[in-house]
Amino acid sequence: MTWLLFGALAGLVLVLFLVWQKWVAPWRQVEEMVVRVARGEKPPTFLLQGGLRPRKVALALESVLQRQTRLEQQIAERASGSDTIFAALQDGLLVVDPRHHLTFVNRSFRELFSSRPDDLGRPVLEVIRDPVVDQLIAETLARGEPQRAEMIVPATGSHSLRQMLVSAVAIQGDAGLTTGAMVLFHDITQLKQVDELRRDFVANVSHELRTPLSILRGYIETMLEDPETSREELTRMLEVMNRHSRRLGLLVDDLLTLAQFESGNPHLQLSQVRLTELFAAIVRDWARKFSEKKLRVHVGTPSDLPPIRADETRLQEVLYNLLDNALKYTEPGGAIHLQAEKRADEVVISVGDTGVGIPETDLPRIFERFYRTDKARSRALGGTGLGLAIVKHIAQMHGGRVEAESVLQEGTTIRVFMPIAGPSEPVVT
């Protein structure tokens, strides 16, 4: 009897063990798997021993985890791609919610407005402190249409100002409701400067052309209306007309030269130029002009001055323009200095005079087209106002640069820095 009871208990234990192993233990393992998956962890295995249903549940959990992993990877890739794009964007980017609170800014925006990471969540007016942007966002959210405006922003680290074109676009949700706005800040400072230069250039050209044309038209009308004008008066009028027609010709030639330089295809004819020989030839050509004004000319070139690779004709044009200015603005009995010296991998060509000089405030602008420090005197001396602009362009075409130094009533020195090896970029010849 005892043995029968013992056998029955052993059988019951075995049955309970088998039931535990097949039905209870697998579900506890499934529960542990669920906890790990919920924490974003991967269980050691999804293969279970036991009943069919726990095994199916474990395999389903594995499939869920794989999909979640792929989805997180896709989200991370998209986020990384978006972050890369926004970080590389040169324009400032700002995203706000319907309450005008910041939800996203890119690096350019932070640099533009000195924004801090903790600015997210703050009202846009507190970060930018310009009602133009806040009003633009309000109109965009209200109308649901793109809006534009312009604003001025102080440049970071300087006292200059930057002009910005601000564009705002409403962000639409899945239900078609406006969930915020995206604002883009595009720097248009250079465009504004170019436009201003264009307007100034057109105005200057119009003015320069109008004066001689008016004089020519006036004299022509006088000659037509009064055919009995004396020979002496006719001769005087023709001389004036000839002088102004030459001025028009010079102006047109200089304008065409500048247009060619700015076309990006200068057609430089590069060769080895020995400045000592070039200076000697130019001084001989200008000897009569110097003599007529009783000017002393001092030429200085060291014996070991290397030749430079340049377009000799263009370089001659540079010296002609500089010498012409020196000749015009130096009083009789003064002196002109034509020099060259080697500095590192450059040769510095300088033309100095003992003339009237240039005010310090005008020096930064003397290489601009049509800029004159003394407009009345410049026109009386016959200048077109383009000579120094041409000098600057020729120097830059060769990979060089220009600078000016002057003291009022003591003289001016213009220096042209030319690389010995010539332009670094290939030049079409």
Side-chain angles (χ1 to χ4, degrees):
M1 194 69 182
T2 302
W3 289 102
L4 288 174
L5 182 60
F6 180 77
L9 289 173
L12 179 62
V13 170
L14 180 61
V15 170
L16 291 174
F17 175 76
L18 293 175
V19 170
W20 170 269
Q21 188 178 31
K22 187 171 183 178
W23 299 105
V24 178
W27 285 113
R28 294 191 66 177
Q29 289 180 299
V30 169
E31 183 181 2
E32 184 180 349
M33 287 180 186
V34 171
V35 172
R36 284 177 174 268
V37 170
R39 292 201 302 256
E41 301 175 2
K42 182 179 180 181
T45 180
F46 287 95
L47 299 176
L48 300 180
Q49 300 295 328
L52 179 61
R53 293 186 66 82
R55 291 202 304 270
K56 286 184 177 180
V57 171
L59 293 175
L61 279 174
E62 182 181 22
S63 177
V64 168
L65 182 61
Q66 288 175 348
R67 286 186 207 157
Q68 180 181 346
T69 302
R70 286 197 299 269
L71 182 60
E72 290 176 350
Q73 184 178 3
Q74 290 174 358
I75 293 174
E77 289 175 353
R78 290 178 181 176
S80 175
S82 299
D83 290 343
T84 302
I85 293 172
F86 293 146
L89 193 64
Q90 297 296 314
D91 295 337
L93 178 65
L94 163 69
V95 179
V96 296
D97 61 18
R99 299 180 302 158
H100 300 199
H101 287 193
L102 276 65
T103 60
F104 175 83
V105 297
N106 69 344
R107 182 177 60 190
S108 296
F109 176 89
R110 289 195 296 270
E111 293 174 353
L112 182 63
F113 294 100
S114 301
S115 174
R116 303 186 306 272
D118 59 358
D119 284 337
L120 292 181
R122 295 176 59 195
V124 66
L125 195 57
E126 292 183 7
V127 178
I128 298 181
R129 299 187 182 279
D130 192 321
V132 171
V133 179
D134 193 60
Q135 181 64 30
L136 188 71
I137 293 173
E139 293 179 4
T140 302
L141 294 175
R143 301 180 183 180
E145 299 176 351
Q147 303 292 324
R148 285 187 175 187
E150 292 185 9
M151 64 180 295
I152 297 177
V153 179
T156 305
S158 69
H159 299 290
S160 60
L161 299 176
R162 299 164 67 180
Q163 292 181 284
M164 312 297 296
L165 175 63
V166 188
S167 305
V169 180
I171 301 175
Q172 304 289 338
D174 295 335
L177 299 176
T178 300
T179 59
M182 182 172 64
V183 186
L184 202 64
F185 299 83
H186 181 61
D187 194 335
I188 57 173
T189 307
Q190 289 187 345
L191 292 176
K192 290 288 187 179
Q193 291 173 346
V194 169
D195 187 55
E196 185 177 355
L197 287 174
R198 178 189 59 80
R199 290 197 302 268
D200 290 345
F201 178 73
V202 172
N204 283 325
V205 170
S206 300
H207 181 79
E208 294 294 334
L209 292 174
R210 186 181 298 113
T211 301
L213 286 175
S214 298
I215 293 174
L216 289 173
R217 184 171 61 248
Y219 279 126
I220 291 173
E221 290 175 353
T222 299
M223 295 169 66
L224 290 174
E225 293 172 359
D226 188 8
E228 297 182 358
T229 303
S230 66
R231 185 176 182 82
E232 292 77 10
E233 183 64 15
L234 282 175
T235 302
R236 188 191 66 80
M237 287 191 294
L238 290 173
E239 288 175 351
V240 173
M241 293 170 65
N242 184 46
R243 184 170 68 252
H244 284 281
S245 66
R246 286 200 304 268
R247 179 181 170 186
L248 280 175
L250 291 174
L251 179 60
V252 171
D253 289 343
D254 285 349
L255 287 172
L256 290 175
T257 299
L258 276 177
Q260 181 184 2
F261 291 163
E262 293 175 349
S263 68
N265 191 15
H267 295 289
L268 294 181
Q269 303 290 334
L270 298 178
S271 63
Q272 294 294 323
V273 180
R274 299 187 179 278
L275 293 177
T276 303
E277 298 174 2
L278 179 62
F279 284 3
I282 290 176
V283 170
R284 284 196 302 270
D285 294 342
W286 285 64
R288 181 176 177 180
K289 294 181 180 179
F290 295 145
S291 176
E292 288 175 350
K293 208 168 181 181
K294 298 181 174 59
L295 297 178
R296 304 183 307 278
V297 180
H298 303 282
V299 180
T301 55
S303 58
D304 60 345
L305 185 67
I308 62 174
R309 184 166 173 76
D311 185 320
E312 186 169 355
T313 301
R314 294 303 185 192
L315 195 55
Q316 189 178 59
E317 192 171 355
V318 165
L319 294 171
Y320 278 10
N321 276 295
L322 296 180
L323 288 173
D324 186 56
N325 280 347
L327 188 70
K328 288 175 182 175
Y329 296 104
T330 303
E331 298 297 330
I336 292 177
H337 301 269
L338 177 60
Q339 298 177 322
E341 61 176 330
K342 182 179 180 298
R343 296 184 189 175
D345 57 350
E346 294 179 315
V347 166
V348 183
I349 302 170
S350 63
V351 176
D353 61 55
T354 58
V356 296
I358 300 171
E360 185 178 357
T361 54
D362 291 319
L363 274 178
R365 300 191 59 188
I366 63 172
F367 294 102
E368 296 178 12
R369 292 173 293 188
F370 293 113
Y371 188 80
R372 304 172 189 268
T373 59
D374 186 344
K375 296 179 174 57
R377 184 175 184 186
S378 297
R379 292 193 179 94
L381 293 173
T384 64
L386 297 173
L388 290 180
I390 290 174
V391 169
K392 177 183 176 181
H393 274 281
I394 293 176
Q396 291 177 340
M397 284 159 46
H398 285 83
R401 65 189 192 282
V402 293
E403 69 175 27
E405 179 183 344
S406 185
V407 178
L408 279 176
Q409 306 307 320
E410 293 186 15
T412 301
T413 298
I414 306 293
R415 297 184 183 89
V416 181
F417 296 79
M418 300 285 287
I420 295 174
S424 57
E425 296 292 331
V427 178
V428 179
T429 60

